[in-house]
Amino acid sequence: MSRSLYYADAIREALRQCMQEDGDVYIFGEDVALYGGVFGVTKDLFHEFGPKRVRNTPLSEGAILGEAIGAAVYGLRPVPEIQFSDFLTTAMSPLVDIMATYHYRVGTKLPITIRAPSGGALRIGHFHSKCLEAWFVHTPGLKVVVPSTAYDAKGLLVSSIRDNNPVLFLEQKKLYREIKDEVPEEIYDIPLGQAIIRTEGSHITLVTYGSPTYLALKAAALLQKEGIELEVIDLRTIYPFDKETLKKSFSKTNRVIILHEAVKIAGFGAELAAFFAEECFEYMAAPIMRLGALHTPIPTNPVLEDHYLPSLQDILDAARGLMKY
Amino acid sequence: MEQLTKKQHLELYRYLRLTRALEDWIFYICANQNPQKPLIIGKGYLSTGQEATSIGAAYALEKEDWIAQSHRDFGALLIRGLTPRELLLQYFSKETGPTKGRDANVHLGHTGKHVLGFISHMGAMVPVANGVAFAMKYKKKKACILAFFGDGASSQGIVHEAMNYAAVFKLPVVFICNNNRWAISTPLEEQMAIKNVADRGASYGMPGVICDGNKVEEVYQTVLKAVRLAKKGGGPTLVECKTMRMSGHGTHDRAKYVSDQEIASWKKKDPIMHHEKLLKKLGYADEAYFKKIIAEVKSEVEEATQWAKNQADPSIQNQLEDVFARS
């Protein structure tokens, strides 16, 4: 049986079912207990599982991720919440220096899933809107997941929690209560590292992940009327990422637009562009196009933030430009 | 106060001597090896002259307990069951060593022996110790963990976060500050405006106690009390062990910034000398016994060196393995 669930509620269901499945799974973070987290994602879990498994912590992101590492070494399966992914900057050393290197150096696996809301367009400024995923893809030892639908959010979170490696699960805070789709009631997983084709097309491959997926689909619908077909690929997991699906699509379209909400310069799109250039050169008919945010801190004012983020018009322009080749 | 038995006193003496011998040997190799073809990769980070802190603290633990060691805790590692062979494999960066040759010297961990994997960022392992302590509570294990750090690391924000956090959740962790007066070349007076790191305990709501870090029996007794409190559910304690770093930060550092007078005054408080005096006073051992132990540990270290240096170096074949756990 499935029913329509909001993105946030699908995440909560994954947490609940993983906690029911495995007594070693537990949640902790700032305001996650009675209050249910600042976005209400963990709401009611405190009542269901009690203070041992759903626990508020002091405002100490470094100590939160430190706890996750130690608890995982001891055999638990911690699921810490970092209130905003922006705050990971205060916990970089535990994350990057200890957690990411632990299995390689000490040989002990760390099954940790860090949930962290990411992304902008909510007018909450530079310190609550950033997309930092490229830093963590650049860090060997971390898996990075960015779901765009409620269905994916649940299935990918289940996979992340069951995975025996540290996973950074970047929830799209803009989608929490904006997106609703069909989600099965039972527990299920979606393998990490598998992209999904959101809409098929033969002219241009558009690679994206997270909330810009919806912008890409809007562009695809508009462009179709002009006879330009976009094939929209949602990566879902950006480390590891699904090279095969990308290559297969690009071998058909010979054109690619890479879209993300993160700053364009040295964003994850740069890695994708390099992949197309290095491994798919023989299929290339046109320049590789990248769309991302401006190289500025994130402004709060809507006029400025909208201009900061990649827009629908940017996609339309890029697509029309590519069709000239 | 917990009185040590004769057997325990002698065992502590052996750990003191073994640690000293092993580290003297590491110092010797670093000073004399061919830099073009070194046996020890990197430098040595030694606890010489402050062994009693690490040994006395770790001796208060039982099998089910853990440690998060810092730079100068080879004594504690030996007590946890790591052997001179394993520690030398680590220094020689061998494939069969604790980090498979991927890391070296004191940057190691050993899950089977309940030792967390140390990293270079000072104080970074303190919150990780909290995680082990939390998991012990979660699993209803009557155990605890020692989190070692130095006076230098005590200035790190993460150490404050971790101590506050441990106190809030009454975690079974004992914070051991080995205050050896020097953070590389920066003396204590340039690191903090207070005299005692232990004074900070009050600000977190935990006992802060001070002991003579060069008296192994005093460290043991102080830490044991904290360990028992932690295991009873009484929460963490901050134990400050006053000692002195009698070598450079590493074997490359001749510590010329430390005055001769300071070294001379601390030489008189050498932890091994102190313990020998105590053993004689208690009638547990004599000079002949000391000589016998010195000879024993020397040959143990030499044997371990001969064995370890012939082990395989890491191979590039396995270099990409283990970044992720496969299952």
Side-chain angles (χ1 to χ4, degrees), chain A residues 73-231:
Chain A
V73 169
Y74 202 80
L76 297 184
R77 206 167 271 274
V79 187
E81 177 179 302
I82 297 295
Q83 200 162 67
F84 287 84
S85 68
D86 309 68
F87 302 162
L88 282 167
T89 52
T90 65
M92 283 299 269
S93 186
L95 177 58
V96 168
D97 299 317
I98 312 175
M99 199 187 293
T101 66
Y102 211 84
H103 187 261
Y104 191 70
R105 295 182 312 114
V106 186
T108 295
K109 56 194 179 190
L110 299 184
I112 298 166
T113 301
I114 303 165
R115 295 180 40 249
S118 168
L122 294 180
R123 319 317 188 191
I124 49 179
H126 183 70
F127 306 106
H128 298 83
S129 306
K130 287 196 291 300
C131 295
L132 302 175
E133 62 271 14
W135 294 356
F136 304 106
V137 174
H138 191 69
T139 302
L142 300 175
K143 295 186 180 181
V144 184
V145 178
V146 192
S148 71
T149 66
Y151 176 84
D152 282 358
K154 179 175 171 183
L156 289 167
L157 184 52
V158 170
S159 283
S160 300
I161 293 173
R162 287 176 179 167
D163 198 284
N164 281 329
N165 292 285
V167 179
L168 189 56
F169 193 82
L170 296 172
E171 296 171 5
Q172 304 291 281
K173 65 173 97 69
K174 181 173 181 284
L175 304 183
Y176 276 144
R177 311 230 163 259
E178 188 179 287
I179 289 303
K180 213 174 181 184
D181 51 83
E182 286 294 303
V183 177
E185 280 178 16
E186 65 273 17
I187 192 165
Y188 61 93
D189 59 24
I190 297 171
L192 303 185
Q194 281 185 11
I196 188 165
I197 297 174
R198 293 291 178 199
T199 182
E200 290 188 19
S202 58
H203 297 128
I204 300 171
T205 299
L206 189 148
V207 190
T208 191
Y209 52 89
S211 55
T213 302
Y214 297 97
L215 203 60
L217 290 172
K218 235 184 235 175
L222 290 171
L223 287 164
Q224 196 168 29
K225 293 176 193 156
E226 300 173 22
I228 302 173
E229 290 179 17
L230 289 191
E231 178 147 291

Side-chain angles (χ1 to χ4, degrees), chain A residues 23 67 102-104 108 164-165, chain B residues 111 117 121 138 165 319 322 325 327:
Chain A
E67 172 186 330
Y102 211 84
H103 187 261
Y104 191 70
T108 295
N164 281 329
N165 292 285
Chain B
T111 301
H121 297 50
Y138 193 96
Y165 200 93
Q319 193 163 356
D322 301 328
S327 55

Side-chain angles (χ1 to χ4, degrees), chain A residues 23-26 28 52-53 55-76 90 93-94 97-98 100-109 139-143 163-166 239, chain B residues 64 66 98-100 102-103 107-111 114-119 121 124-125 127-132 134-141 143 158 161-162 164-165 168-169 171 318-327:
Chain A
D24 289 338
V25 175
Y26 76 102
F28 59 112
K52 180 177 161 188
R53 298 182 71 191
R55 198 173 105 248
N56 284 339
T57 65
L59 276 71
S60 304
E61 285 80 8
I64 291 169
L65 295 194
E67 172 186 330
I69 298 162
V73 169
Y74 202 80
L76 297 184
T90 65
S93 186
D97 299 317
I98 312 175
T101 66
Y102 211 84
H103 187 261
Y104 191 70
R105 295 182 312 114
V106 186
T108 295
K109 56 194 179 190
T139 302
L142 300 175
K143 295 186 180 181
D163 198 284
N164 281 329
N165 292 285
Y239 196 88
Chain B
E64 63 273 18
W66 281 66
T99 57
K100 298 189 181 178
R102 289 167 179 164
D103 214 333
H107 303 99
L108 76 147
H110 197 301
T111 301
H114 295 183
V115 172
L116 284 177
F118 177 63
I119 75 160
H121 297 50
M125 298 311 293
V128 181
N130 281 347
V132 172
F134 174 79
M136 287 164 171
K137 266 184 96 164
Y138 193 96
K139 297 255 187 197
K140 297 192 165 62
K141 295 277 196 292
I158 194 75
E161 282 189 34
N164 175 59
Y165 200 93
V168 167
F169 298 117
L171 297 179
N318 305 324
Q319 193 163 356
L320 292 177
E321 300 285 308
D322 301 328
V323 176
F324 292 98
R326 283 222 191 118
S327 55

